[in-house]
Amino acid sequence: MELTLDSQQRDLRDGVGKFLADHAGSAQVRAAMETGAGFDRDLWRRMGRDLGVLGLVVADEHGGAGAGHVERSIVSEELGRTLLPSPFLASAVLAVDVLDALDDQQAQRELLPQLASGELIGTVAEGARAVSRDGGWVLDGRLTPVLSGDVADIVLVRADSGWFLVRTADSGVQRTTLRTLDPTRRMARLDLQGAPARALSTKDSSAVKSQVDDLAAVALAAEQVGGMRSVLDMTVEYAKSRVQFGRLIGSYQAVKHACADMYSAKEQAVSLVRYAAWAADHDPAELPMAAALAQVYCSPAAFDAAANGVVLHGGIGYTWEHDAHLFYKRAKTSEVLFGSDRARRLRLADLMGA
């Protein structure tokens, strides 16, 4: 087991970090989240075409990098550091992983290259009812919330009789952008009424969902680690410059202890994410437990860090002009994105045989 990054992985981290520093600073993030799409489409295509980070886990023959989940977690962490609004979690994680887990080679050949290049945006949803009609399939149902569902070109839907592909441009698909707490991560409601669908080949629909859920948990936990890093960095810098009652606030013991606790929590989260990503690449049997551990720890730890960051910034941390509130909102929505804390803990207990 290797929990430290090798030289190529560090180069990937540094390269993605520099790219985001140049193109995804606070001003760019705020501008992107206010657009109609909620993200910068040109920057998204550059992430696929120039950086190649949208298809890291996609096989070479399908236009990807043929890398692993450790590499993808590195990218997720860097994206979490900047809060870049993008469909990465929906398209480069959920949609890619569903297609990779299915047995449908035709769909893989057709869709994975376009997802990897950024030409196509995908997402995943569940809860529809599939009806056989005129030799094909149509789907009915209200799907909500759907990550990046308002900008996705395709939706991979887990219906009552398996997995289906729906193209959002087709008739019978109505999309509504939802107003949520986090302006940097878009959600949508999809209303399907006789939406044309293509059945996707798979031996076990539930097994695909379980695998995808575990891999998504790893990617989200890595993103949360990135957020914790940024909150810690900005809070420490603020503590070293803000003067209150004639002293730098960083000289107060309570502030020192709070920052030390944030650092300790971040380091523990890093270890759990590294282990879970390693398991995804090298020991799939360990993945469910590793992913559950990362999820149970990182979600509340990231929110605690963001909340403490706001408090330690004092009044400025509560203002719209400061980014502390953006990290707080992202941490809160990520905490409940893939289920409640209670549900995650119960699953971990089941995996441990408790």
Side-chain angles (χ1 to χ4, degrees):
M1 183 186 301
E2 182 59 62
L3 298 182
T4 58
L5 303 181
D6 61 30
S7 59
Q8 290 185 329
Q9 291 164 343
R10 290 195 298 271
D11 288 344
L12 172 64
R13 179 195 60 196
D14 295 344
V16 173
K18 184 179 185 308
F19 178 86
L20 293 175
D22 292 340
H23 302 287
S26 178
Q28 291 98 324
V29 166
R30 288 169 178 266
M33 71 187 195
E34 295 293 341
T35 64
F39 73 106
D40 186 332
R41 289 184 181 273
D42 291 335
L43 187 63
W44 173 256
R45 295 188 183 100
R46 289 189 62 187
M47 289 171 62
R49 183 184 65 249
D50 300 340
L51 288 187
V53 298
L54 304 184
L56 279 174
V57 301
V58 176
D60 295 339
E61 61 265 30
H62 297 313
H69 295 280
V70 172
E71 286 74 19
R72 190 171 70 181
S73 72
I74 292 170
V75 175
S76 294
E77 185 175 329
E78 292 303 311
L79 291 173
R81 284 173 66 92
T82 63
L83 296 183
L84 177 70
S86 82
F88 186 86
L89 188 57
S91 190
V93 177
L94 290 172
V96 163
D97 288 347
V98 167
L99 286 169
D100 187 57
L102 293 173
D103 303 316
D104 199 317
Q105 296 183 5
Q106 180 182 348
Q108 291 172 349
R109 289 193 298 268
E110 175 188 342
L111 300 173
L112 284 175
Q114 297 182 73
L115 290 173
S117 68
E119 298 173 21
L120 201 67
I121 296 174
T123 191
V124 172
E126 61 179 316
R129 182 171 60 92
V131 178
S132 178
R133 181 180 300 172
D134 300 328
W137 292 91
V138 296
L139 297 186
D140 294 307
R142 170 166 287 186
L143 315 179
T144 186
V146 181
L147 269 173
S148 303
D150 51 346
V151 296
D153 303 298
I154 61 169
V155 186
L156 303 172
V157 181
R158 184 173 180 246
D160 51 2
S161 56
W163 287 90
F164 293 84
L165 168 66
V166 172
R167 295 188 180 274
T168 56
D170 288 344
S171 61
V173 180
Q174 181 178 350
R175 301 188 283 179
T176 304
T177 301
L178 299 177
R179 183 179 180 182
T180 65
L181 176 67
D182 180 10
T184 67
R185 174 125 64 200
R186 297 286 284 269
M187 298 280 190
R189 183 180 72 240
L190 303 183
D191 290 296
L192 308 182
Q193 296 181 338
R198 168 178 155 191
L200 299 171
S201 175
T202 181
K203 296 176 183 177
D204 189 336
S205 174
S206 297
V208 170
K209 175 174 168 46
S210 295
Q211 178 179 328
V212 170
D213 285 349
D214 288 337
L215 294 174
V218 176
L220 179 61
E223 180 191 285
Q224 290 167 324
V225 165
M228 293 174 74
R229 286 186 186 275
S230 281
V231 169
L232 177 61
D233 290 345
M234 72 167 63
T235 302
V236 169
E237 286 303 310
Y238 184 76
K240 293 191 305 186
S241 62
R242 175 72 166 116
V243 175
Q244 188 71 29
F245 303 115
R247 292 173 55 183
L248 291 171
I249 65 171
S251 67
Y252 289 101
Q253 191 174 54
V255 175
K256 291 179 181 179
H257 285 178
C259 290
D261 288 343
M262 291 166 66
Y263 176 81
S264 176
K266 183 264 295 180
E267 288 298 296
Q268 293 179 70
V270 169
S271 296
L272 287 168
V273 167
R274 294 278 190 269
Y275 166 55
W278 176 90
D281 287 333
H282 301 287
D283 194 352
E286 285 293 312
L287 175 60
M289 177 73 77
L293 284 168
Q295 203 172 31
V296 163
Y297 183 83
C298 292
S299 288
F303 177 68
D304 287 346
N308 287 330
V310 171
V311 171
L312 290 172
H313 275 84
I316 189 65
Y318 291 86
T319 65
W320 177 259
E321 289 75 19
H322 199 280
D323 287 343
H325 76 94
L326 293 178
F327 283 96
Y328 179 91
K329 292 171 180 175
R330 171 66 71 87
K332 183 72 231 177
T333 56
S334 294
E335 189 179 24
V336 299
L337 183 59
F338 294 140
S340 67
D341 181 65
R342 181 175 184 274
R344 290 193 294 267
R345 290 178 180 275
L346 287 173
R347 180 169 184 266
L348 178 58
D350 288 341
L351 290 169
M352 296 174 66

